[in-house]
Amino acid sequence: MHGDKAEPGGVCLLDRLSFVAIFAGAVRGGRIRLLGVAPRSSELMAALVKRGGSDDFCSGGPFFSNLMEQGLLVSLACSIDGNCPPRKRSRVIAPLVLGVGERVADKKHQPRSIDTLPDECLFEILRRLPGDKERSNSACVSKRWLILLSSIRSSELAAQMKPSVKSMKKTLPDRNNLVPANENETENNGFLTRRLVAEEATDIRLASIALGTCSRGGLGKLFIQGGDSTRVSDAGLSAIAHACPSLRVLSMCMTPLVTDAGIAEIADGCPLLEKLDLCQCPQISDKGLITVAQKCPNLMSLTIEASSSISNKALQVVGRFCTKLKYVTIKDCPEVGDQGIASLVSSPSYSLEKIKLQALNISDLALAVIGQYGKNLTDLSLTSLKNVGEKGFWVMGNTCGLQKLRSITVNHCNGLTEVGLQAIAKGSPLLKQVFVRKSCDLSDAGLVSFTEKARALENLHIEECHQLTLMGVLGALLTCNPELKSLSLMRCLGIKDIDFAPAQLPSCKSLESLTIRNCPGVTSASLQVVGKICPRLQKVDFGGQAGVTDASLIPLIQSSEVGIVEVNLSGCVNVSDALVTMLVKAHGSTLRMLNLDGCKKITDRSIMAIAQSCLVLNDLDLSCCTIGDYGVAILASARQLNLRMLSLASCSKITQKSLPFLVNMGQSIVGLNLQHCHLISTDAINLLEERLWLCDIIF
């Protein structure tokens, strides 16, 4: 090809290309008409035959002496009409326009691919790809193509633009090629879920997810768990927004590079968004949240945590525009106060069902608004609200607006007293679950008065309330709802054994679950009473109670009218094989979970009783027990057992001889803990992992 160099005639390649472009523009239907006169075919053929040269461009002077004459030909193009046979021409490379100081590269190193096109041209080409699969495949070509494809909005795709007038004309269907519409098309309904953790969270990964999920049902849920080195930025969210209009759930944690611009892209491209979680996103402020509120009317769940840039202004807009909002969680946001919470709760729709507030600068006013306007509220959680006093809880309960409240959690709120707790019970007739933690002013009288008024109470959890005593707990059981099903007492130092027997003992025939954990004052004498007053217990948790002995639990085992299902005796160092043997013989047909972590008196004898009597046991924790290889062999030989979780951590007598028996349990086991089993080598664990490839082994 001769077009790369100037020729003697003074004609460069650019001149010839100009002539070819002018001549091609004059062609209409293969006929040329000059000056309005159609020449005879013989004259035209003679003129073409007399033209010298080959198929390539030949040397010679320009066709016209100046550019004005070239314009004359263009102006007469519409009058040209003649036959022009197709001719093969050589490949032409457009000249490279150089800047000042740049040199022409060597001919061998000049790029000759589509990548020489600017981004604008590639964008126009890629947006005309026919379907999602083609776009997904094209994204694998290079990072540049991936970024360009991810920048194309759904509305910019040529395949989704409005059809032309010609394509809208009705034609008769071809009955020979009838194919269901949904057979060739993939609806983007948002069925897929993607999670990115730590180093996996990058903009390139997000762009790949955006394009890869389009042809596979569409992205519906995206969870990003980042860190200090997370490289997710606005560019990654922009790719998701452009390609995933079906996104309904977005959760981001520790993404320091994401700003209001990225959230605004999500709001523009994902109008179906229903759940938004923003945890430790320091650069997202009121501006970004306001954009989401205005453009995502379907928002139902909002979580904001550890954000100093979110204030009352944004929450006021959320309360005004998000009329379907049902779940709100706001934690550690110092700029959020009474006005923001009041705007959310007092929205005209009254749609809020669950509210969780933690470490906020709110006062009694916010609780009063919650009590007045929380008409549909079913779940309320208040944690570390230092500025809320007794008056706030009292007003919230006495406004009688919490008629549908079923669960309340009050954690480390010094303003909660027995007066406020009674008001809550009075104003919430459907209250079933109460969780109170770190309430310094809760006394025996307050607890008894509360249980008298909470007639629908089914689950009571009390933790770190040190003024409560055992007499208060027994009094509450006497006056509580006869349908109480669960009672939990954790780390209550004031609950201790009493030297005298109370005049009247409660009868808790409905109690199914009892938890007494880390209450050092509760010993064997108090636990013996439990078996007498709670004959229908199914779940027992005495974890951390060093005072539990065999004698204290024998009445509980013997008096049970229904089968015990779950037993947690972790840390009960005085429990022996005799108690375990009695337990599994009496309740082996119903026992599903048994935790003996730290019970050093448990030996292979207990394992033998478990293997013989337990029929439905699927979770067994023998950590720190005196178990050897013989006990493991006995467990493996019990064919009726289908253990799914087994913990042998810190069992110093377990050796590599137990591994073949563990392999025999591989049909059912999915979790195995062998931590601190020092007589088992790493190579043996690797071999065990190959054999139990469906089991999660911790070593």
Side-chain angles (χ1 to χ4, degrees):
M1 175 176 179
H2 308 290
D4 294 332
K5 297 181 182 179
E7 298 181 355
V11 180
C12 64
L13 177 61
L14 185 60
D15 294 329
R16 296 193 181 99
L17 287 176
S18 301
F19 168 72
V20 172
I22 295 170
F23 188 79
V27 175
R28 293 288 185 270
R31 298 169 61 85
I32 300 178
R33 186 181 302 274
L34 294 175
L35 301 178
V37 180
R40 292 188 297 272
S41 59
S42 57
E43 296 177 355
L44 182 59
M45 182 60 67
L48 292 174
V49 170
K50 291 180 181 179
R51 178 185 177 275
S54 62
D55 287 345
D56 287 338
F57 294 118
C58 301
S59 60
F63 191 81
F64 294 100
S65 59
N66 55 56
L67 294 177
M68 296 300 295
E69 295 179 356
Q70 296 181 19
L72 178 61
L73 180 57
V74 175
S75 63
L76 298 176
C78 60
S79 302
I80 299 176
D81 188 13
N83 292 324
C84 182
R87 296 191 303 117
K88 180 178 73 175
R89 67 178 187 179
S90 301
R91 182 177 179 179
V92 180
I93 296 180
L96 182 63
V97 180
L98 301 178
V100 179
E102 295 181 345
R103 297 182 179 180
V104 180
D106 186 69
K107 183 176 180 180
K108 296 181 180 180
H109 299 287
Q110 288 183 358
R112 294 176 177 269
S113 69
I114 193 173
D115 282 337
T116 58
L117 294 175
D119 289 347
E120 294 79 5
C121 294
L122 270 180
F123 181 90
E124 292 297 326
I125 295 174
L126 295 177
R127 81 182 185 91
R128 286 170 168 78
L129 292 175
D132 293 332
K133 292 184 179 180
E134 289 76 10
R135 285 187 290 273
S136 180
N137 294 335
S138 300
C140 301
V141 173
S142 66
K143 185 183 295 185
R144 181 192 179 198
W145 283 38
L146 172 63
I147 295 174
L148 281 175
L149 283 165
S150 63
S151 66
I152 303 174
R153 298 179 183 272
S154 300
S155 59
E156 295 173 339
L157 296 175
Q160 297 184 6
M161 291 184 176
K162 293 183 178 180
S164 60
V165 177
K166 293 182 179 180
S167 62
M168 293 179 62
K169 292 182 178 179
K170 295 183 179 180
T171 57
L172 293 176
D174 186 359
R175 298 185 179 273
N176 296 324
N177 296 318
L178 290 179
V179 180
N182 55 0
E183 186 172 332
N184 294 327
E185 297 179 1
T186 303
E187 294 185 0
N188 200 341
N189 293 323
F191 296 127
L192 301 180
T193 299
R194 294 292 181 266
R195 297 178 185 272
L196 300 179
V197 180
E199 296 180 355
E200 296 178 353
T202 62
D203 290 340
I204 296 298
R205 182 66 63 87
L206 286 178
S208 302
I209 290 175
L211 293 174
T213 56
C214 288
S215 58
R216 295 172 176 84
L219 183 64
K221 299 179 181 179
L222 176 61
F223 300 90
I224 303 175
Q225 178 67 42
D228 296 334
S229 59
T230 302
R231 293 172 290 173
V232 170
S233 65
D234 296 337
L237 289 187
S238 178
I240 294 293
H242 292 166
C244 305
S246 61
L247 187 68
R248 288 177 171 83
V249 176
L250 174 62
S251 177
M252 296 190 300
C253 183
M254 299 183 68
T255 52
L257 301 181
V258 176
T259 67
D260 292 332
I263 291 296
E265 289 285 349
I266 292 292
D268 290 334
C270 307
L272 301 179
L273 192 67
E274 296 178 357
K275 182 178 180 181
L276 177 63
D277 295 346
L278 303 176
C279 177
Q280 299 184 34
C281 302
Q283 296 197 58
I284 297 179
S285 64
D286 289 341
K287 182 180 179 181
L289 189 56
I290 289 174
T291 305
V292 172
Q294 293 175 342
K295 297 185 179 182
C296 300
N298 294 328
L299 192 67
M300 299 175 61
S301 175
L302 176 63
T303 298
I304 305 173
E305 184 174 348
S307 176
S308 59
S309 301
I310 302 294
S311 66
N312 296 328
K313 179 181 178 181
L315 296 184
Q316 289 173 353
V317 178
V318 171
R320 188 183 311 121
F321 287 93
C322 300
T323 57
K324 298 181 181 180
L325 193 64
K326 293 184 178 181
Y327 315 110
V328 171
T329 301
I330 305 177
K331 300 180 180 180
D332 301 321
C333 297
E335 299 299 322
V336 174
D338 293 334
Q339 293 182 357
I341 301 302
S343 300
L344 287 175
V345 178
S346 61
S347 61
S349 61
Y350 301 116
S351 60
L352 281 181
E353 296 180 3
K354 294 183 180 181
I355 298 179
K356 295 183 180 181
L357 306 177
Q358 179 176 335
L360 304 179
N361 294 324
I362 61 177
S363 64
D364 297 339
L365 176 62
L367 264 63
V369 175
I370 292 175
Q372 180 68 32
Y373 295 99
K375 298 181 180 180
N376 291 318
L377 203 60
T378 60
D379 194 330
L380 177 62
S381 177
L382 306 173
T383 304
S384 300
L385 303 179
K386 299 180 180 180
N387 298 329
V388 176
E390 182 183 71
K391 182 180 179 181
F393 287 100
W394 183 85
V395 174
M396 183 177 69
N398 282 312
T399 51
C400 298
L402 302 177
Q403 296 294 312
K404 295 183 179 181
L405 188 65
R406 297 177 180 272
S407 174
I408 184 170
T409 299
V410 183
N411 183 6
H412 200 188
C413 295
N414 297 328
L416 179 66
T417 62
E418 52 190 54
V419 175
L421 199 57
Q422 293 174 23
I424 293 173
K426 180 181 178 181
S428 307
L430 300 180
L431 189 61
K432 293 185 176 182
Q433 180 174 347
V434 176
F435 182 104
V436 179
R437 181 173 181 266
K438 288 187 177 182
S439 178
C440 301
D441 297 327
L442 182 60
S443 62
D444 292 342
L447 180 61
V448 172
S449 178
F450 169 75
T451 54
E452 285 180 354
K453 295 179 173 60
R455 302 315 301 168
L457 187 64
E458 295 181 357
N459 189 341
L460 178 61
H461 183 105
I462 301 175
E463 184 174 348
E464 297 187 52
C465 298
H466 304 306
Q467 289 193 21
L468 291 179
T469 65
L470 185 58
M471 290 300 297
V473 175
L474 293 176
L477 292 177
L478 279 172
T479 60
C480 71
N481 173 29
E483 299 299 325
L484 183 68
K485 296 180 179 179
S486 176
L487 174 64
S488 299
L489 304 172
M490 299 179 61
R491 291 185 287 273
C492 296
L493 303 182
I495 299 179
K496 301 178 181 180
D497 290 342
I498 53 179
D499 298 331
F500 59 93
Q504 182 181 2
L505 288 176
S507 178
C508 303
K509 293 185 178 181
S510 63
L511 197 65
E512 299 176 355
S513 175
L514 176 63
T515 299
I516 303 177
R517 293 178 60 91
N518 299 312
C519 297
V522 179
T523 61
S524 179
S526 300
L527 293 177
Q528 288 180 3
V529 182
V530 173
K532 298 178 181 179
I533 65 177
C534 304
R536 302 183 65 84
L537 281 178
Q538 298 181 22
K539 299 179 181 179
V540 179
D541 186 353
F542 294 146
Q545 295 298 121
V548 173
T549 62
D550 294 353
S552 62
L553 294 180
I554 288 176
L556 176 63
I557 297 173
Q558 293 178 343
S559 62
S560 177
E561 298 177 359
V562 295
I564 297 178
V565 178
E566 297 181 7
V567 176
N568 183 5
L569 300 175
S570 60
C572 300
V573 294
N574 294 318
V575 172
S576 66
D577 292 333
L579 178 69
V580 175
T581 302
M582 180 183 296
L583 174 65
V584 298
K585 285 184 178 180
H587 303 281
S589 60
T590 58
L591 190 64
R592 295 182 178 274
M593 190 277 287
L594 178 60
N595 189 341
L596 301 172
D597 182 8
C599 301
K600 297 182 179 180
K601 294 184 179 181
I602 301 300
T603 64
D604 293 340
R605 181 184 171 186
S606 295
I607 302 302
M608 186 177 296
I610 291 173
Q612 292 176 352
S613 303
C614 292
L615 302 178
V616 293
L617 187 68
N618 54 39
D619 189 344
L620 179 61
D621 193 338
L622 299 171
S623 303
C624 300
C625 294
T626 312
I627 303 297
D629 297 333
Y630 180 68
V632 177
I634 293 175
L635 277 179
S637 63
R639 296 185 177 181
Q640 81 279 4
L641 277 181
N642 290 311
L643 283 177
R644 297 181 60 82
M645 305 294 295
L646 176 63
S647 178
L648 301 173
S650 300
C651 292
S652 57
K653 293 186 176 182
I654 299 293
T655 67
Q656 296 184 172
K657 296 180 180 179
S658 299
L659 299 186
F661 304 111
L662 294 175
V663 172
N664 293 336
M665 302 170 64
Q667 294 182 355
S668 62
I669 195 166
V670 296
L672 178 61
N673 188 352
L674 296 175
Q675 285 182 310
H676 308 297
C677 294
H678 301 295
L679 298 181
I680 301 178
S681 65
T682 304
D683 294 337
I685 293 296
N686 294 334
L687 181 61
L688 183 64
E689 289 178 341
E690 293 180 0
R691 301 293 299 275
L692 300 177
W693 55 277
L694 288 177
C695 179
D696 186 9
I697 301 177
I698 303 176
F699 179 70

